[in-house]
């Protein structure tokens, strides 16, 4: 067996400090005003952070910049001290599990089981091991009866769960999720919270409007408004501060 210390990913995992760092990020869609303006923040080891903000405030755009799907006009992003650039994307994506806002963007295999085994098999996990792992995830997510069905036969919430299982199958050490509770009923929102809280992930960044759920899963909140991060604070006091939430377009009782 290859020695752990000769594995470059292992060495990268030993680098202290920021797991994710964003500095001076500015992004505009073509022929539009900037959606992200001079955004800076970082996530340290063990951080679970909520990304909040009204619809259209730029949450999805920010997450897509972080994983290199979009290139900023200004600024820099580092994942574990590796700059996010076109030539580092393959390496960086081995660390990150990213859940799209629309689960349909992520699911493309003929069956649920194949969608979940696709990533690990692509990274060289032997098929039998990938299938065992997928079956356990299907049990965790209550999807076992659907293993051999097409995702087109599932509800929106069930597709969301398949997409999450497919991400977790890769055992990412940084988890970035865009609106993960969309379409899930309260019992599944609770189950998902338990699953996320038990993961050994090094850091999580979760965009959502589900303020109470975020309060259970994350410790800190970044709130986007007007293209800026207008608040970077502990989440519990923020959830009590309805006037501030109202001001940033997030009325808590709605
Ligand atoms: N492909 C696109 N082309 C032009 N503008 C876009 C595109 N996608 C999103 N936008 C605009 O960027 C802003 C931020 O969108 P988005 O990042 O999806 O916000 P959020 O995820 O917070 O709802 C919105 O004003 C939206 O209309
Ligand atoms: Mg969004």
């Amino acid at each position: 067996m290859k020695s752990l210390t000769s594995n470059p990913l292992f060495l990268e995992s030993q680098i202290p400090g920021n797991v994710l760092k964003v500095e001076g990020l500015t992004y505009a869609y073509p022929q539009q005003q900037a959606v992200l303006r001079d955004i800076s923040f970082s996530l340290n080891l063990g951080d679970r952070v909520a990304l909040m903000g009204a619809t259209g405030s730029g949450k999805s755009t920010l997450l897509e910049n972080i994983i290199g799907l979009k290139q900023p006009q200004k600024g820099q992003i580092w994942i574990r001290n590796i700059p996010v650039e076109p030539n580092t994307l393959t390496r960086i994506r081995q660390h990150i599990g990213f859940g799209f806002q629309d689960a349909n963007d992520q699911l493309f295999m003929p069956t649920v089981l194949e969608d979940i085994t696709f990533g690990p098999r692509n990274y060289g996990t032997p098929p039998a091991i990938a299938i065992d792992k997928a079956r356990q995830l299907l049990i965790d997510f209550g999807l076992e009866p659907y293993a051999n069905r097409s995702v087109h036969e599932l509800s929106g919430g069930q597709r969301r769960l398949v997409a999450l299982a497919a991400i977790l199958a890769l055992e990412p050490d940084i988890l970035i999720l865009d609106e993960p509770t969309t379409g899930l009923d309260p019992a599944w929102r609770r189950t998902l919270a338990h699953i996320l809280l038990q993961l050994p992930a090094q850091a999580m960044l979760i965009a959502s409007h589900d303020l109470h759920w975020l309060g259970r899963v994350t410790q800190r909140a970044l709130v986007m408004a007007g293209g800026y991060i207008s608040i970077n604070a502990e989440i519990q006091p923020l959830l009590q501060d309805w006037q501030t939430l109202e001001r940033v377009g997030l009325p808590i009782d709605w």
Side-chain angles (χ1 to χ4, degrees), residues 154-188:
L154 304 187
S155 75
Q158 288 172 322
R159 285 181 207 186
R160 166 79 45 197
L161 293 174
V162 174
L164 287 163
I167 295 162
L168 299 189
L170 284 164
E171 300 180 3
D173 39 41
I174 303 167
L175 202 55
I176 299 185
L177 302 177
D178 198 353
E179 311 272 4
T181 62
T182 305
L184 300 187
D185 66 24
W188 273 111

Side-chain angles (χ1 to χ4, degrees), residues 114-126:
E114 288 166 289
D115 258 317
I116 300 174
T117 54
F118 177 82
R121 292 189 63 167
N122 204 27
Y123 281 115
T125 304

Side-chain angles (χ1 to χ4, degrees), residues 55-56 58-61 101 178-179 207 209:
T55 301
K59 302 181 296 297
S60 296
T61 306
Q101 179 162 342
D178 198 353
E179 311 272 4
H209 293 114

